[in-house]
């Protein structure tokens, strides 16, 4: 039996808190990391890096950001893209305007700026609840986009409003090759993913979930609801800001304000629906799904149907299938791919017994 | 001064156009607690179906009835395939399902009718009237009259009939509604079909105004602040909200826009709605959430 | 059978005939993984009160929801077995159909429509019958007679009423449907002792005078057994004991496993 | 395989579907036409495959990466995304991959300077030339550039970087010629323009330049009618000039003027040829045959002509075989279409005379004006040239800034090999 | 019994509290005191205002009139968080658990006020955060063991049966190590056995930690055996206040609440 917890007793609370409680899981994770760092850069090609791996990683991070806010703290947001935009444009400007600032520092400052903006747009959540709250996040969405299109200072007066990536150099190493961009993205995502796991399994994460599940009760047991909500907005936006900067600089290499429009916010929302709300792993699964699914579908149809269907029509079908899949997920597995994965693991654990 | 009033009346009339879309939302929210993001796609779908039928030579009323039937079938499919399996789930789940739904409907509309832009003439000439030096759009006046009629009709439906109570019951607690024997499915079918009808009316008017094409589905974004200011659960709120949003955004664009860069209409209503909510967290006429411990 | 016919048949004749409600080896599973009840077979004779007893989580509510067709709404599924009500197989029937045929459930945890007034809540119970406004007014008066407190609160939003008041609303609402069989899930919960007695009196009275049947899940075994004709004891999803209410009440097994030492 | 491949990042659905399906329809039909009539370019067959981008940048990037390697051994000649966003996102990639990036009538204005942007080609008309030509036309109508003084011109632009791009140039021209300029923004997508048009009504301008996009165009025309502004004093720019921009406005569009680099219509011999070889043969790419010869379709045909001619020019130098992107780029830089050649191609009047070079990746800079008669466009002017002398220094300033930021050393164009003619 | 102790200091004193909703009086001029270390029961018919009173005590409702003295501070109204910081914890009539979280996490949230580390320390799990986490965990495990909740430690509370949820709620409140514990019908929906067990938990809490308890309960048997002090409400007014025996003998209480049957 591969998947067995026999003999692995948890003897200390500290150990019980570990992310992977089983030895097998820890090994698998280490192997995955080793693979991602050592093998993938050696065997990947441009297409894999630029069209699949980097976008999956960046979108996972964005999903993670939204998940912290929506999945854990229960505040529905349709403005994720706005915070990504803030992150991207802030990073760009920090790098541009402060001579000699290391790239990573600009990135973190960009993220912090996004966090600050998120905090401001989170303020209404102290009074507004439920669906009414989406007005605040949509206000962020439209307002931020307007600011970046209207004030060309943010894009260094480029006539087209498009910003382009600064040279990606860290400690003197040039990371602008596809593999380099991939490694940079991977590192940021792994680090922040780990941090997110720490947060949600700790005191702060519990407070978020408490506020999500019932804020009156949370207040009654002494949790400061306003502070908790605002922290959720700030930290979530920090993540989204970093994701936005990576989107602009390691993925596309350029971005315009329109690149962070409402449909991007929806895309990120779909990632967490499909992946699973209130799950860290889910973001990765969801992002992978959302990137790979359309590619797969169009690849399959081009190779199988060989042009029998008009590509535009195909895209229509794909849109419909995608919508149907979302509904299907909500009906069959409201907790997303993460739950599917967990159930599979559980089955494996008790296999060959039935429940 | 007359320019001010011109902008104001223009804004108020434009606001009624937003209300038309918002009403469809309110209807569904009130009836099932579902925040239906697909309302915009339904408007698009209805308008596209109607205009395509007209272009294929179907007479006006024939096309209207056929489209209405199509919307009813759509409502039935939605009830059967989406709402029924999701009964008694959290509002946020249903909201997300409607996001999925909007994808399906948009894809379907384009797959069936193509992506071209269509002109739609519904026989109202839009030469402006001039009253005391203020321009009044014939078309917008007509649209306002229709919206008024719809509101009156729906007001009666909600407030004066048993269906009204049943709908509100469903919105409150689906499990309990089931337990007292309310036919959720039948009710939903009715409501979604009526929302389809409202969508068709909105789609025809908007289509005649801006042409029938994909971005018709984006007018939900104009309807949202209207809805929020008025309150999700109030039809009258949708009208009042529309007037407020329409008038204020036009005035803001004309008088504040030039000072801070112009093009502020997209976010202004949202910020306005946000300020409204800070004072009234459930909009002007919305039901308060009841929480007892 | 219509209500009128039912009323004319003497009680003795009915108890001898077919059971009014019958569960045959029913099994319910939640979210495709959690087995809640297994091999449940039970029956309710016409014009009788049957009590379901059992500890927390034994599966009482699940049985009731399986009967009333509400289980699917909570992601539960009847994976096996048959439910027969008034001679018809209703395993797959929808709650709406069942209510129309006179089978109503009062949900555990009250479930009032918070944004409806108390009176509107009661009205919803009657919609399925499409009564005339006059009939409706009469039915309302009847319920108000049972629960005078509700009459005082009739214009208040149900969501703001107290726990016990909501419980009264829930029971009154079910009565508005003119049912033949009521499934009562913990009717006494949160009610003051006086009201509990009153409710059981009402139940008793309805059974005697109108020929209604009741299947009730109840924690307050003492009261329940005092009024019930028959009882089943549940333990983690299985029926472990059944019998005449009196017998169960006296049974040693029950007091050990369930009633405790008192 | 003896084939030359064109990766097509097309879009046929979504908000901009009308443009995409027309453009790519025309482009594909022209390639088919060359294959059917001539068996390809000098015997090298043309192939292509499509990848739907929905006008979305990331999808465009994915398509680019997927298709850039060529198909079944046929090397890619050039990419033609017809989307500013995708063009920007693939600009650096295409330079690294040595694949020409064709942005006909759109794209980055400063990429006109081929010394800094060796692989980008904003063929025919960049945004700056566009407004300059419009202002020149207004001057013509008023009786000379000196008559512009004191005229009132409003520019109604789409609230996006695209919409704002030409504002500095307009301001420059306003200062130079002394006309009164008002810039009004319409927020995306533009289906509400009441306030803008009421403002216009108050200003009472002589002309309105419509720099629209998608639904904004018909709504502008409708709202103009609603506020009593005459359509024949509205001049649409290059993305406000299609049938899909005017027709949905119905009556209100009658008289609307717009620029075009490529008149619509089917009377040009090349379109007749396409009709004969492709459409009649049942291979036409358009779903709706009524759109044959419309503005977007003809732009696709023009784009096809330019791409194919570039390949032809390059083959003359490198040999009659499938070429690499780098070789095709040489073809583009040495592309020269004069009236004689255009006549041979059957495209006289459809394509403007064009001469590209290392330094000049635009090549044209002229437009014609057309007017909507309620059902179709009618050309109402000859080619009107932009003031390219005036614009060149601005373009170079911008491109050199870019070069500095990116650490690019511009090519010395005087040292480039030119075609042997 | 603690009442026999010499001159105990009142921990909580309500003075002339009135509360109305949209003109309807829910509580009228109520005053009473709860001594340190005692168990005080609030009883009364449904809708008498018991839960409202509890809500006033921990600040969920703000009274229209009157004042509240808690410890040494006299206030016009309490505020939930202020109360929590000063050692007031409670459970709710309609269970207010965090449904999506595990039992352990729910209990851990109860300890949140004892956390010393800042959120930044928690985010990076540095500084005082690890020590806090350990301390919290130990406290929570003690409470879980005390209430015998170990088997469900990692279950998601939303799917637990009602009775267990009530117990988890108590655990969450106890984890805060409160000085004053407010319990709103902690035994509703439980059978006799479970009630007895719950009573034992409550009494032990009171004895071992000296926690002062105010509880609402409809089961008179439980109330009489458990409490040191009983306050009876009816229609928002106080109609009785004293030891259980005194209250039981009060004729007004008998007619209003206990009924003649008891
Ligand atoms: N919606 C649900 N999803 C998952 N599991 C459920 C659900 N409802 C009940 N269960 C599980 O089914 C089992 C039986 O629950 P049920 O509610 O029928 O018990 P009960 O006898 O009514 O208990 P109580 O006296 O507490 O009301 C329990 O273990 C419970 O956890
Ligand atoms: N937030 C509120 N809004 C309006 N009315 C309220 C509110 N809270 C309580 N009430 C009313 O105040 C009265 C007292 O309610 P409360 O919940 O305190 O009763 P209770 O004594 O706890 O009753 P029960 O034993 O039934 O729980 C009720 O009539 C109720 O309708
Ligand atoms: Mg139960
Ligand atoms: Mg109470």
């Amino acid at each position: 039996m591969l998947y067995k917890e026999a003999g692995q007793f948890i003897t200390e609370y500290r150990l019980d808190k570990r992310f992977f409680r089983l030895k097998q899981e820890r090994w698998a994770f280490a192997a995955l990391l080793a693979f991602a760092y050592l093998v993938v850069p050696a065997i990947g090609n441009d297409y894999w890096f630029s069209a699949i791996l980097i976008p999956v990683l960046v979108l996972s991070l964005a999903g993670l950001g939204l998940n912290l806010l929506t999945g854990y703290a229960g505040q529905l947001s349709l403005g994720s893209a706005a915070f990504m935009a803030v992150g991207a444009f802030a990073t760009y400007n920090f790098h541009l305007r402060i001579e000699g600032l290391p790239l990573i520092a600009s990135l973190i400052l960009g993220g912090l700026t996004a966090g600050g903006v998120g905090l401001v747009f989170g303020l209404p959540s102290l009074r507004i609840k439920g669906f009414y709250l989406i007005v605040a996040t949509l206000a962020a969405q439209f307002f931020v986009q307007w600011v970046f299109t209207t004030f060309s200072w943010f894009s260094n007066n480029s006539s087209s409003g498009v910003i382009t990536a600064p040279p990606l150099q860290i400690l003197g190493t040039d990371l602008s090759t596809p593999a380099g961009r991939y490694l940079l993205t991977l590192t940021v995502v792994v680090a922040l993913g780990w941090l997110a796991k720490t947060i949600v399994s700790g005191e702060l994460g519990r407070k978020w979930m408490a506020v999500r599940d019932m804020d009156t009760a949370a207040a009654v047991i002494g949790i400061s609801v306003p502070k908790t909500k605002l922290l959720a907005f700030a930290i979530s936006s920090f993540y989204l800001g970093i994701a936005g900067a990576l989107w602009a600089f390691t993925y596309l290499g350029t971005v315009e304000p329109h690149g962070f429009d409402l449909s991007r916010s929806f895309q990120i929302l779909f990632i967490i629906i499909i992946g699973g709300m209130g799950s860290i792993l889910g973001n990765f699964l969801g992002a992978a799904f959302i990137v790979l699914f359309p590619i797969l579908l169009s690849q399959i149809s081009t190779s199988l149907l060989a042009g029998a269907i008009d590509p535009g029509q195909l895209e229509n079908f794909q849109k419909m299938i995608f919508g149907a899949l979302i509904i299907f997920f909500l009906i069959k597995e409201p907790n997303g791919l993460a739950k599917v994965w967990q159930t599979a693991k559980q089955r494996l654990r008790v296999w060959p017994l039935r429940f | 001064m007359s320019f001010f009033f011109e902008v104001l009346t223009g804004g108020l009339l434009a606001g009624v156009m937003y209300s038309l879309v918002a009403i469809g939302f309110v209807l569904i929210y009130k009836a099932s607690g579902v925040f239906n993001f697909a309302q915009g796609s339904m408007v698009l779908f209805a308008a596209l179906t109607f205009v395509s039928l007209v272009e294929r030579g179907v007479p006006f009323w024939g096309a209207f009835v056929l489209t209405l039937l199509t919307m009813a079938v759509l409502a039935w499919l939605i009830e059967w395939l989406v709402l029924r399996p999701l009964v008694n789930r959290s509002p946020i789940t249903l909201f997300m399902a409607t996001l999925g739904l909007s994808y399906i409907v948009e894809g379907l509309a384009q797959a069936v009718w193509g992506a071209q832009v269509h002109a739609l003439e519904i026989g109202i000439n839009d030469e402006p009237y001039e009253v005391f030096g203020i321009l009044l759009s014939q078309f917008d006046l007509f649209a306002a009259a229709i919206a008024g009629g719809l509101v009156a009709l729906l007001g009666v439906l909600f407030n004066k009939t048993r269906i009204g109570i049943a709908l509100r019951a469903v919105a409150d607690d689906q499990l309990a509604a089931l337990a007292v024997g309310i036919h959720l499915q039948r009710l939903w079918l009715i409501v979604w079909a009526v929302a389809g009808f409202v969508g068709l009316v909105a789609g025809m008017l908007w289509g005649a105004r801006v042409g029938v094409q994909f971005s018709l589905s984006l007018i939900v974004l104009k309807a949202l602040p209207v809805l929020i200011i008025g309150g999700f659960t109030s039809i009258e709120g949708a009208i009042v909200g529309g007037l407020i949003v329409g008038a204020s955004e036009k005035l803001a664009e004309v008088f504040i826009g030039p000072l801070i860069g112009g093009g502020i209409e997209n976010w202004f209503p949202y910020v306005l709605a946000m300020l409204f909510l800070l004072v009234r967290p459930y909009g002007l006429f919305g039901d308060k959430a009841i929480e007892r411990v | 059978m219509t209500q009128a016919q039912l009323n004319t048949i003497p009680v003795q004749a009915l108890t001898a005939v077919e059971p009014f409600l019958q569960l045959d080896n029913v099994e319910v599973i939640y979210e495709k993984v959690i087995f809640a009840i297994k091999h449940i077979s039970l029956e309710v004779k016409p014009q009788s009160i049957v009590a379901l007893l059992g500890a927390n989580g034994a599966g009482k509510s699940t049985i009731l929801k399986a009967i009333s067709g509400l289980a699917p709404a909570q992601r539960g599924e009847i994976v096996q077995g048959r439910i027969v009500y008034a001679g018809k197989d209703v395993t797959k029937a929808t709650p709406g159909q069942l209510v129309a045929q006179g089978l109503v459930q009062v949900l555990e945890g009250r479930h009032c429509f918070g944004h409806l007034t108390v009176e509107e809540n009661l009205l919803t119970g009657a919609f399925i019958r499409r009564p005339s406004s006059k009939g409706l007014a009469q039915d309302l008066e009847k319920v108000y007679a049972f629960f005078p407190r509700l009459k005082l609160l009739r214009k208040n939003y149900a969501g703001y009423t107290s726990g016990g008041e909501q419980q009264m609303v829930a029971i009154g609402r079910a009565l508005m449907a003119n049912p033949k069989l009521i499934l009562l899930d913990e009717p006494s919960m949160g009610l003051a002792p006086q009201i509990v007695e009153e409710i059981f009196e009402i139940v008793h009275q309805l059974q005697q005078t109108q020929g209604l049947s009741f299947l009730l899940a109840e924690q307050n075994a003492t009261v329940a057994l005092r009024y019930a004709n028959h009882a089943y004891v549940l333990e983690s999803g299985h029926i472990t004991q059944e019998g005449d209410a009196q017998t169960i009440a006296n049974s040693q097994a029950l007091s050990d496993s369930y009633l405790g030492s008192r | 395989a003896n084939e030359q491949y064109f990766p097509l990042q097309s879009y046929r659905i979504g908000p901009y579907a009308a443009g995409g399906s027309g453009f790519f329809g025309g482009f594909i039909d022209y390639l088919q036409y060359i294959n059917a009539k001539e068996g390809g370019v000098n015997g090298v067959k043309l192939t292509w495959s499509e990848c739907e981008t929905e006008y979305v940048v990331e999808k465009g990037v994915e398509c680019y990466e997927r298709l850039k390697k060529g198909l079944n051994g046929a090397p890619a000649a050039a990419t033609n995304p017809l989307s500013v966003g995708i063009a920007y996102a693939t600009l650096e990639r295409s330079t690294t991959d040595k694949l020409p990036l064709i942005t006909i009538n759109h794209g980055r204005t400063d990429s006109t300077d081929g010394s800094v942007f060796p692989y980008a080609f904003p063929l025919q008309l960049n945004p700056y030339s566009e407004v300059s030509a419009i202002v020149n036309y207004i001057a013509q109508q008023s009786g000379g550039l000196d008559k512009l003084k004191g005229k009132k011109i409003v520019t109604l632009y789409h609230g996006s970087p695209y919409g704002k791009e030409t504002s500095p140039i307009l301001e420059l021209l306003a200062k130079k010629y002394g006309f009164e300029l008002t810039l009004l923004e319409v927020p995306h997508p533009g289906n509400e323009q009441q306030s803008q048009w009421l403002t216009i009504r108050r200003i009472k301008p002589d002309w309105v330049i419509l720099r629209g996009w998608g639904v904004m165009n018909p709504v502008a025309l409708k709202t103009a009618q609603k506020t009593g502004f005459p359509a024949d004093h509205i001049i649409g720019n290059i993305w406000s000039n299609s049938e899909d921009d005017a027709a949905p406005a119905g009556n209100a569009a009658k008289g609307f003027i717009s620029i075009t680099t490529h008149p619509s219509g089917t009377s040009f011999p090349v379109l007749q040829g396409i009709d004969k070889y492709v459409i009649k043969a049942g291979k036409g790419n358009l779903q709706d045959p009524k759109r044959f010869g419309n503005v977007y379709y003809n732009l696709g045909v023009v784009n096809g002509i330019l791409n194919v001619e570039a390949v032809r020019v390059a083959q003359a130098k490198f040999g009659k075989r499938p070429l690499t992107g780098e070789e095709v780029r040489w073809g583009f830089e040495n592309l020269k279409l004069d009236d004689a050649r255009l006549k041979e191609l059957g495209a006289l009047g459809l394509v403007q005379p064009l001469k590209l070079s290392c330094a000049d990746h635009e090549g044209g800079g002229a437009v014609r004006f057309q007017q909507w008669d309620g059902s179709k466009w009618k050309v109402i002017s000859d080619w009107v040239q932009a003031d390219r002398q005036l614009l060149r220094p601005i373009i170079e300033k911008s491109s050199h800034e870019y070069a500095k930021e990116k650490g690019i050393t511009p090519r010395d164009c005087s040292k480039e090999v030119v075609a042997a003619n | 019994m603690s009442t026999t102790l010499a001159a105990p200091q009142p921990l909580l004193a309500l003075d002339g509290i009135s509360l109305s909703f949209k003109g309807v009086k829910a509580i009228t001029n109520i005053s009473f005191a709860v001594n340190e270390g005692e168990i005080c029961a609030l009883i009364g018919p449904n809708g008498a205002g018991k839960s409202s009173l509890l809500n006033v005590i921990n600040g969920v409702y703000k009274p229209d009139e009157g004042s509240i003295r808690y410890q040494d501070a006299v206030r016009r109204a309490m505020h939930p968080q202020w109360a929590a910081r000063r050692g007031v914890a409670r459970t709710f009539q309609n269970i207010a658990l965090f449904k999506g979280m595990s039992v352990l996490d729910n209990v851990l949230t109860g300890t949140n006020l004892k956390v010393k580390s800042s959120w930044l320390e928690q985010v990076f799990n540095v500084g005082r955060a690890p020590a806090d986490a350990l301390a919290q965990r130990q406290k929570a495990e003690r409470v879980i063991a005390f209430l015998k909740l170990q088997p469900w430690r990692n279950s998601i509370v939303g799917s637990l049966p009602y009775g267990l949820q009530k117990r988890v709620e108590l655990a969450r409140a106890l984890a805060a190590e409160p000085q004053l514990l407010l319990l709103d019908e902690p035994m509703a929906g439980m059978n006799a056995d479970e009630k007895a067990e719950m009573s034992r938990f409550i009494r032990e809490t009171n004895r071992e930690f000296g926690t002062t308890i105010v509880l609402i309960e409809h089961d008179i048997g439980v109330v009489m055996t458990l409490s040191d002090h009983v306050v009876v409400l009816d229609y928002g007014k106080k109609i009785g206040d004293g030891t259980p025996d005194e209250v039981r003998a009060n004729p007004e209480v008998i007619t209003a609440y206990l009924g003649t049957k008891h």
Side-chain angles (χ1 to χ4, degrees), chain C residues 30-31 34-36 54-63 65 74 108 185-186 219 234, chain E residues 159-163 189:
Chain C
Y30 281 114
E31 296 180 15
I34 306 160
F35 270 100
N56 285 137
K60 305 180 294 294
S61 305
T62 306
I63 293 181
K65 281 182 285 198
Q74 300 209 314
E108 172 182 40
D185 202 347
E186 313 227 0
Q219 296 283 15
L234 239 63
Chain E
S159 59
L160 289 182
Y162 191 86

Side-chain angles (χ1 to χ4, degrees), chain B residues 292, chain C residues 162-164, chain E residues 50-52 93 184-185 216 218:
Chain B
R292 270 225 55 188
Chain C
S162 84
Chain E
K50 305 179 294 294
S51 301
S52 303
Q93 181 166 13
D184 198 343
E185 302 196 16
I216 299 176
H218 283 302

Side-chain angles (χ1 to χ4, degrees), chain C residues 235-262:
Chain C
E235 234 172 273
S236 41
H238 296 273
I239 291 179
T240 51
Q241 222 188 4
E242 74 161 297
D244 191 56
Q246 203 52 47
T247 331
I248 297 278
N250 298 335
S251 119
Q252 188 56 39
L254 180 71
S255 51
D256 280 353
S257 81
Y258 180 70
L259 291 177
S261 43
R262 280 200 297 158

Side-chain angles (χ1 to χ4, degrees), chain C residues 54-57 108 110 149 152 156-157 160 162-166 168 186 189-195 197 201 219-220 256-262, chain E residues 22 24 44-48 93-94 161-164 185 188-196 218-220 222 235 254-259 261-262:
Chain C
N56 285 137
E108 172 182 40
R110 311 184 264 271
R149 181 144 185 103
L152 296 175
N156 289 23
Y157 274 141
Y160 289 127
S162 84
E165 290 158 356
Q166 290 186 10
M168 299 178 211
E186 313 227 0
M189 183 157 75
L191 290 178
Q194 237 181 341
I195 306 280
E197 287 298 335
E201 279 300 333
Q219 296 283 15
N220 192 339
D256 280 353
S257 81
Y258 180 70
L259 291 177
S261 43
R262 280 200 297 158
Chain E
K22 296 204 190 99
V24 181
N46 296 116
Q93 181 166 13
N94 301 314
Y162 191 86
L164 272 175
E185 302 196 16
M190 294 191 176
N191 63 36
D193 204 12
E194 292 159 340
K195 277 182 182 167
H218 283 302
D219 188 322
I220 285 308
V222 171
Y235 288 103
I254 293 173
T255 41
Y257 183 61
L258 299 176
K261 287 216 168 76
H262 285 261

